[in-house]
Amino acid sequence: MNILLIVPNIEGRVGSPNLNMAALATFINECSSHRAEIVDLTFHKENWQHQLHVRLDGHHYDLVGFSVMTFDVLQSLRIARFIKQTWNLPIIFGGVHVILDPEDVIRHPEVDIICTGEGEFALREILDQGLNCHGIAGIWFKEHGTVVRNAARPLLENLDILPFPDWSQYDLETYFLFNNNHLTLMSGRGCPYSCTYCSNHILKKTMTGKYVRQRSVESVLDEVQTAIDRYASRGFKYIYFIDDIFILNRKWTLEFCRQYIARGYHRKIRFTCSVRANLVTEEVIRALKDAGCYQVGMGIEAADDAIRNDVYKRRMSREQIDRAVDIIKRSGLLLSCQFIIGAPFETIEMMEASLELARKIDADTIMFSILMPLPGTEIKDLCVKENLIEKEQLERSQVMYSTPVIRSKHATLQEIHALYGRMRRYQIRKYLTRGLQLKGLRFLWDLLVFLVYLKPKYKLEIQNAFKVTVNRYVLEKLQ
């Protein structure tokens, strides 16, 4: 059987190619007798319907699949509706949003099947059984107008048995233009922490089996070598480890760094990863630096202790944050810090304190986002209880974390949006200063090219022009 997997990014940001779809397609193509193909609409925001006609007219597919996040569920449904009306193909939805809110997703008439857990083996069984979904764990489906809910599927414990994602179906050269030659790689699945705004604490409760799983060091390094062999000639230069917390297991991290150096990758492919303040030590950061890590990202989320620990449940002290920042900056690694504004009980003064903390830390990259109440999360339950969600705003929101959809008890949507605008201007001024320091007038020329040509062609946000250009200079300097 043949399945077409859709990357539905017709209104969102340009970042990195979709790992979930690459992993699913690779598993079906290498571990079954079926065929999976990917249509990525990221660079076809204006003509996505034409792109689907090119792929679907005159070609045979038995099933169409979507991997859905909360911020792209509306555009996924829009595309699915077009496919259903034009070709009347069966459609399956999977992904984090489906796991968080399966009842809402399955009610839509354009959705025939949903996957309520990890998708590789469930999807293969669907294809093996000719789309007969009876008895397939982790699958809900419609039969004669009734929803059939199969039992949950246990999580896969041994991640090493999965094949390495094949990125060849993506337009890598265009992605590399905007993400500065990075490929994404994941060394494990799951996170043990229970931050109220994050889906992990709900997924842990919802899914069956061991939630936090780590691949072997050897498996991850073999994937690095495979990526070098396949994609270096297409421009691949850096790895972005997208694990929630790359340094979660200290022993694993140190062994990874040791073997990364032993294989000589530290001289070939540098990488960036995420850390957590309470897990940062001199030993771990020094090991990352020696292995070729050039930057770490760290979520701070809020300067105010009550918002950070009582509302967000980050379980992270200001002393731990200050110490981690000091260790990272002294190591010579670049530092990226993330903040969230708009918590239910957060005042404008508390949000401004986060901006002041960002100024004080003066990380190489500062990212601000607006709280998004994900389905099923504690923070959404709190927002519902306090009647803070602006339903119309939530339904219109397609660019996640940049549009306020809830009121704080002490701040309106307009006030939150205005402060977010100040934060964005701070980010842009920071990029402008850095770009001029690194390249002078050449920076202004590169910005002009980006804004006049690339921004309208690919429907980019203006901030991308500054971020992408400056990050490219920084990486050139590292080389």
Side-chain angles (χ1 to χ4, degrees):
M1 302 194 82
N2 298 317
I3 180 171
L4 186 65
L5 301 173
I6 308 289
V7 178
N9 186 24
I10 58 173
E11 296 187 31
R13 296 171 176 168
V14 174
S16 294
N18 187 291
L19 175 61
N20 290 340
M21 287 311 199
L24 278 176
T26 304
F27 184 81
I28 295 302
N29 290 333
E30 296 187 14
C31 302
S32 81
S33 60
H34 311 288
R35 175 66 185 169
E37 296 180 1
I38 297 172
V39 170
D40 183 5
L41 301 177
T42 300
F43 302 118
H44 303 285
K45 299 179 188 297
E46 301 288 352
N47 66 338
W48 61 269
Q49 294 180 341
H50 171 72
Q51 291 299 314
L52 291 175
H53 273 289
V54 169
R55 183 59 66 94
L56 287 165
D57 287 346
H59 298 82
H60 174 72
Y61 293 99
D62 302 284
L63 184 64
V64 176
F66 293 77
S67 181
V68 183
M69 301 287 284
T70 297
F71 67 90
D72 62 19
V73 63
L74 293 181
Q75 57 188 330
S76 297
L77 289 168
R78 179 185 174 193
I79 298 166
R81 196 173 305 119
F82 175 74
I83 292 172
K84 181 69 73 174
Q85 292 171 349
T86 309
W87 295 279
N88 196 28
L89 290 168
I91 291 173
I92 181 171
F93 271 35
V96 173
H97 182 79
V98 176
I99 301 170
L100 294 175
D101 201 357
E103 295 289 355
D104 178 71
V105 176
I106 195 67
R107 71 178 174 84
H108 291 280
E110 53 268 44
V111 180
D112 304 294
I113 309 167
I114 63 171
C115 181
T116 62
E118 292 177 326
E120 291 91 350
F121 286 90
L123 183 58
R124 185 174 71 178
E125 289 180 31
I126 291 172
L127 299 175
D128 284 345
Q129 296 183 191
L131 307 190
N132 180 349
C133 296
H134 283 280
I136 299 178
I139 294 298
W140 294 8
F141 64 101
K142 292 173 182 172
E143 186 174 60
H144 308 304
T146 300
V147 176
V148 179
R149 298 167 177 82
N150 293 332
R153 175 177 292 271
L155 292 163
L156 177 64
E157 287 203 20
N158 182 9
L159 300 180
D160 284 4
I161 69 173
L162 298 174
F164 306 144
D166 177 3
W167 300 101
S168 61
Q169 295 196 58
Y170 288 101
D171 181 359
L172 290 182
E173 287 78 6
T174 303
Y175 273 109
F176 288 156
L177 184 65
F178 299 111
N179 71 18
N180 290 312
N181 305 87
H182 286 72
L183 276 181
T184 53
L185 194 151
M186 181 178 283
S187 70
R189 294 180 179 178
C191 174
Y193 293 94
S194 297
C195 304
T196 59
Y197 55 84
C198 178
S199 61
N200 275 302
H201 70 285
I202 297 304
L203 295 176
K204 276 185 290 187
K205 295 177 183 178
T206 303
M207 305 178 84
T208 303
K210 183 180 179 182
Y211 184 64
V212 181
R213 293 144 293 155
Q214 187 83 54
R215 294 167 60 189
S216 69
V217 169
E218 292 74 19
S219 172
V220 176
L221 293 177
D222 287 347
E223 182 177 348
V224 172
Q225 184 61 57
T226 299
I228 293 171
D229 295 341
R230 292 177 178 174
Y231 311 114
S233 62
R234 296 181 63 179
F236 163 53
K237 295 179 181 179
Y238 306 97
I239 294 170
Y240 171 35
F241 284 102
I242 61 171
D243 304 69
D244 291 297
I245 310 168
F246 186 73
I247 65 170
L248 186 61
N249 183 320
R250 171 186 162 277
K251 182 178 178 181
W252 186 96
T253 304
L254 296 177
E255 181 61 18
F256 168 84
C257 292
R258 186 189 69 79
Q259 291 196 35
Y260 201 88
I261 293 170
R263 293 198 187 195
Y265 297 153
H266 62 304
R267 292 190 294 268
K268 298 178 182 178
I269 301 293
R270 304 189 75 171
F271 63 91
T272 178
C273 63
S274 294
V275 301
R276 203 175 197 273
N278 61 300
L279 300 177
V280 168
T281 65
E282 299 268 8
E283 180 186 34
V284 166
I285 294 301
R286 182 170 60 251
L288 290 173
K289 180 71 159 50
D290 291 344
C293 179
Y294 72 87
Q295 175 181 266
V296 294
M298 186 170 71
I300 295 173
E301 316 315 357
D304 185 84
D305 291 339
I307 297 298
R308 187 175 61 253
N309 292 324
D310 297 339
V311 178
Y312 289 155
K313 294 186 180 178
R314 288 287 287 164
R315 305 292 186 258
M316 185 183 297
S317 71
R318 180 64 177 271
E319 290 73 22
Q320 288 173 323
I321 293 170
D322 291 342
R323 182 173 180 274
V325 169
D326 179 62
I327 290 173
I328 293 165
K329 295 186 82 169
R330 282 192 291 105
S331 75
L333 286 174
L334 299 176
L335 174 61
S336 173
C337 289
Q338 298 88 44
F339 292 86
I340 301 173
I341 65 169
F345 302 109
E346 195 172 17
T347 66
I348 288 295
E349 290 73 22
M350 291 174 177
M351 299 178 212
E352 289 177 334
S354 291
L355 177 56
E356 290 309 307
L357 179 57
R359 294 180 193 275
K360 178 182 176 183
I361 291 173
D362 193 29
D364 300 278
T365 303
I366 296 286
M367 290 184 285
F368 298 100
S369 60
I370 298 175
L371 179 66
M372 169 67 79
L374 299 177
T377 57
E378 287 187 28
I379 204 76
K380 182 168 185 180
D381 290 344
L382 179 60
C383 292
V384 171
K385 178 182 176 182
E386 299 291 337
N387 193 31
L388 298 177
I389 296 178
E390 296 280 355
K391 189 172 184 293
E392 185 178 345
Q393 284 292 104
L394 183 63
E395 291 178 347
R396 282 206 307 257
S397 178
Q398 291 292 306
V399 182
M400 198 173 189
Y401 305 128
S402 62
T403 302
V405 299
I406 68 167
R407 303 180 306 278
S408 166
K409 293 288 285 186
H410 309 290
T412 65
L413 292 184
Q414 292 75 21
E415 289 173 324
I416 295 170
H417 191 265
L419 179 57
Y420 181 69
R422 284 176 52 198
M423 291 173 164
R424 283 172 62 95
R425 290 190 290 275
Y426 164 73
Q427 290 173 297
I428 291 174
R429 286 196 300 271
K430 190 174 177 66
Y431 283 125
L432 273 171
T433 301
R434 185 65 171 144
L436 291 170
Q437 287 174 343
L438 289 169
K439 291 290 184 178
L441 293 179
R442 168 67 186 275
F443 174 50
L444 300 180
W445 172 254
D446 288 342
L447 275 183
L448 181 64
V449 171
F450 203 108
L451 294 170
V452 172
Y453 176 67
L454 296 176
K455 181 181 182 296
K457 181 176 181 180
Y458 296 107
K459 292 183 65 177
L460 300 172
E461 293 182 308
I462 189 169
Q463 189 173 330
N464 289 116
F466 302 94
K467 179 179 178 181
V468 171
T469 306
V470 172
N471 286 347
R472 184 172 74 247
Y473 296 158
V474 170
L475 290 169
E476 287 173 355
K477 186 176 180 181
L478 289 175
Q479 290 286 355

